[in-house]
Amino acid sequence: MEPYTGDLRTAAGVLFDYNGTLSDDEWILEAAYDSALTEMGFAGLAPDEYDSLVGLSDPDIAKRVLASRGSEDVDELVERLSSAYADAIEQRPTISAEAAKFVRRLSQEGKEIAIVTGTFRQLMKKGLEAAGLADLGERSVTIEDVQAGKPDPEGFLAGANRVGIDPAKIVGFEDSRAGVEALSAAGIKAVGIGPHLRDAEGLLAHFETMDDAARAYLG
């Protein structure tokens, strides 16, 4: 893990994807989409349907699941999705104490930190507040801030600009191939998190969970 710890210790900035990376919530999002669809009178998610869309922005996911059901009512789906997600994270915070400690340590070491996510700001904000990391939301980039979602590098380039750090001096954490592609296109070293990146190439390191990445650094 020396390349991981070494590059992270010398990095001037760190950018985190949110859903499935800093926040262990992909299963919550999947359940929220399923609930929102059924509440609208549509069939719930098919097996592996959500997995096939991981890495896309929430607006793109919403459009695709609705299109396959002959609907374009994205606004209603997003409203129901937000409600279901908020209810779920009130019952179970999705950012672990270990992950929050990791973020605080990086900040204490002087690294500039932000989130770059394809989700909606209102969904991210609730999770950050529950973990005591609300200040991260102030400089983070959400889907409302960009024209193109991942794998386009726009979000990560915007994140680098907001923290005021050259992309070459940043390490990024991602859980999807689209996210890693976006990091690479932005010139940012990528750390992979979770099952979707187990065999991905070009990563600085890969960990099954954010807690594993945190422990590898914190010791």
Side-chain angles (χ1 to χ4, degrees):
M1 292 304 170
E2 188 57 35
Y4 166 69
T5 55
D7 281 34
L8 192 51
R9 290 192 193 287
T10 58
V14 181
L15 298 177
F16 291 96
D17 171 53
Y18 189 71
N19 302 122
T21 306
L22 182 61
S23 177
D24 180 19
D25 62 359
E26 287 292 4
W27 64 278
I28 289 178
L29 266 176
E30 182 175 7
Y33 271 105
D34 187 72
S35 174
L37 287 168
T38 56
E39 285 178 3
M40 293 173 69
F42 299 122
L45 292 173
D48 299 325
E49 183 176 6
Y50 184 78
D51 279 350
S52 70
L53 301 172
V54 167
L56 297 179
S57 69
D58 277 314
D60 285 340
I61 292 175
K63 290 174 183 175
R64 293 195 186 196
V65 298
L66 285 174
S68 67
R69 291 160 176 81
S71 173
E72 297 180 352
D73 199 350
V74 173
D75 289 343
E76 182 179 354
L77 179 61
V78 169
E79 182 177 347
R80 293 181 182 275
L81 171 69
S82 298
S83 178
Y85 182 86
D87 289 345
I89 65 171
E90 283 183 7
Q91 302 300 317
R92 179 191 178 280
T94 58
I95 301 175
S96 72
E98 194 86 27
K101 179 181 177 181
F102 180 40
V103 171
R104 294 190 188 98
R105 173 70 65 81
L106 294 172
S107 180
Q108 289 166 2
E109 291 175 354
K111 304 181 196 308
E112 300 295 335
I113 302 172
I115 292 171
V116 176
T117 177
T119 197
F120 299 101
R121 187 169 294 276
Q122 62 190 36
L123 270 67
M124 178 193 71
K125 182 179 178 182
K126 292 182 180 295
L128 291 176
E129 290 173 348
L133 298 173
D135 56 319
L136 274 186
E138 297 175 4
R139 56 166 44 174
S140 295
V141 178
T142 64
I143 194 60
E144 292 96 334
D145 301 318
V146 298
Q147 295 298 313
K150 303 167 189 176
D152 193 286
E154 180 187 0
F156 282 116
L157 290 173
N161 184 61
R162 288 194 180 183
V163 299
I165 302 294
D166 185 326
K169 298 179 181 179
I170 294 175
V171 171
F173 288 77
E174 262 289 351
D175 75 314
S176 72
R177 293 183 182 276
V180 169
E181 186 177 335
L183 282 169
S184 178
I188 297 172
K189 294 178 181 178
V191 176
I193 302 293
H196 301 294
L197 296 175
R198 284 176 184 151
D199 60 349
E201 298 180 354
L203 297 176
L204 185 60
H206 172 267
F207 300 94
E208 284 300 311
T209 69
M210 181 56 68
D211 282 1
D212 293 330
R215 285 189 286 266
Y217 187 74
L218 297 173

